Amino acid sequence: MPRRLLPLLTPEQVSGLNPELADVIEYRKSGLSLNDIIGCPLECGYCVRHLFSNFEMKTPRRLVGDEAAVESLVSHPYFRPHTTPIQLYNRATDPMLPVVKPHLFTKLRMLDERGLTNHVLIITRWRVDADDCAALNSFKNLRLTVLVTHSGIEDTRIEPVDFNIAAESLHTLYEYAERYRTILYWRPIVPGLNDSPEHIERARELSLHAHATVFTGLFFRDEIKEYYEGHDLPSPYDETARRKIMPELAEQRIMDAYESRHMPGGASWGTLFRKTSCGVAYAHGEADYNGHYGIKELCDICPPKQIARCKGTWRKPELAEVTREARALGAVGDVEVNDRAIVVEGLDEPPRYFLQHGFGFQCHAREHPHLYRQHGRAPVGWEAENGTDPT
Ligand code: SF4
């Protein structure tokens, strides 16, 4: 039976969108992200669609056709076959919504038929059934990972989607996984809201049904704060931040529970990671493609076998080579390569991620330093340590 295609937005409708949303490609830390479908009915209060003034668009619509979308991805100047991690529909819709899913599978098929072996990340909180798993297992070349979002937040004004939907999807994905891998994406964690012993216990149980678990905090930007205030929702933080907020207290609670697995009679856990790419790489038996191994304190929870993998591939790149590439991308000022990261000036996130994924080595902006133990997170909730840089 021919599948029903989602309607395309008209040029007039596209011109009325936030220009960032109208651009179907965005380079994010975990990969080059393709977002040719926008609109979502799931209404998660903390959704990044608030940042694009798109939260009110509940019906998914296409910006371009499937072929054009794939072509724009593989011809993007920052796309490297077999290397650049790809993300599909992680910004403006849920890829497993019934109306979006056919387009997701079409794109995966198109990419796979090109023989591409790139990582592809799909993030969902919606239903995944055994037929979906069969389709996901059918791709021969792509390294596919399905990340299932679970927050455990009980306030239905913030988290309206029934927790059991994602839990069942994770169980199903894990049970049927052959060629793809599945990750429990435990987020956003907010102290006092979803980091109680009961919340942690629920996540622990779920972690046993995933190839890896990644825990992380909340993006709390001005637009999301305004939404919370406008809807009389309890504000999770007094201040907003450009990076995710994951306070030390919440991380410590999780670490304490996780460490208890080593104690006599301690409950078993799946394998936990702080960074998405670390969890994805581990699930596929590979070294981290974002070069987090240079940020040694991130690795203290990692299994020895995985540490050995990352250590085996992590190489500090030559300054001359990095400088040449960074200058070609527009870097100004000094280019530095230290034991943790490449440090550049004058490059925004896309070229920095291009360097990072190309060298398999962290690439940071001099104006936004990454501080010890807070790596890549907002300083909110880390006053005690205050980001002392050990270098
Ligand atoms: S060893 Fe470090 S860089 Fe590698 S996966 Fe583990 S935490 Fe990530």
Side-chain angles (χ1 to χ4, degrees), residues 1-7 37 59-62 66 97-103 106:
M1 205 168 70
R3 68 188 173 99
R4 242 181 103 227
L5 297 175
L6 271 177
I37 297 179
T59 307
R61 289 284 180 267
R62 290 191 296 163
D66 291 325
L97 291 173
V99 293
V100 178
K101 198 164 56 178
H103 296 282
T106 296

Side-chain angles (χ1 to χ4, degrees), residues 26 39 56 67 76 103 105 157 225 261 268 306 309 333:
E26 181 190 6
E56 297 313 316
E67 292 80 3
H76 192 279
H103 296 282
F105 288 150
R157 297 169 302 166
K225 188 169 193 278
R261 75 196 188 286
S268 50
Q306 181 64 9
R309 270 187 202 125

Side-chain angles (χ1 to χ4, degrees), residues 67-112:
E67 292 80 3
V70 168
E71 193 52 41
S72 65
L73 178 72
V74 298
S75 63
H76 192 279
Y78 291 159
F79 179 78
R80 296 177 176 107
H82 316 297
T83 300
T84 307
I86 298 168
Q87 301 187 319
L88 297 179
Y89 304 133
N90 66 336
R91 184 175 71 177
T93 193
D94 188 296
M96 298 309 292
L97 291 173
V99 293
V100 178
K101 198 164 56 178
H103 296 282
L104 170 74
F105 288 150
T106 296
K107 293 205 176 59
L108 288 171
R109 180 79 51 216
M110 288 174 172
L111 292 167
D112 196 61

Side-chain angles (χ1 to χ4, degrees), residues 273-275 277-279 281-282 286-288 291-296 298-303 306-311:
F273 296 88
R274 294 183 175 96
K275 296 291 173 184
S277 62
C278 292
Y282 172 77
E286 299 172 8
D288 173 39
H292 285 117
Y293 182 75
I295 316 297
K296 292 283 184 281
L298 285 176
C299 309
D300 62 357
I301 57 171
C302 210
Q306 181 64 9
I307 293 176
R309 270 187 202 125
C310 291
K311 184 179 178 190

Side-chain angles (χ1 to χ4, degrees), residues 13-31:
Q13 289 169 322
V14 173
S15 68
L17 294 172
N18 177 315
E20 280 185 65
L21 200 63
D23 187 351
V24 299
I25 308 276
E26 181 190 6
Y27 210 159
R28 299 164 73 100
K29 194 163 47 153
S30 291

Side-chain angles (χ1 to χ4, degrees), residues 233-249:
L233 294 170
S235 193
Y237 299 104
D238 295 335
E239 53 188 315
T240 58
R242 63 178 283 280
R243 289 177 174 156
K244 277 184 197 150
I245 302 175
M246 180 69 198
E248 185 172 22
L249 185 66

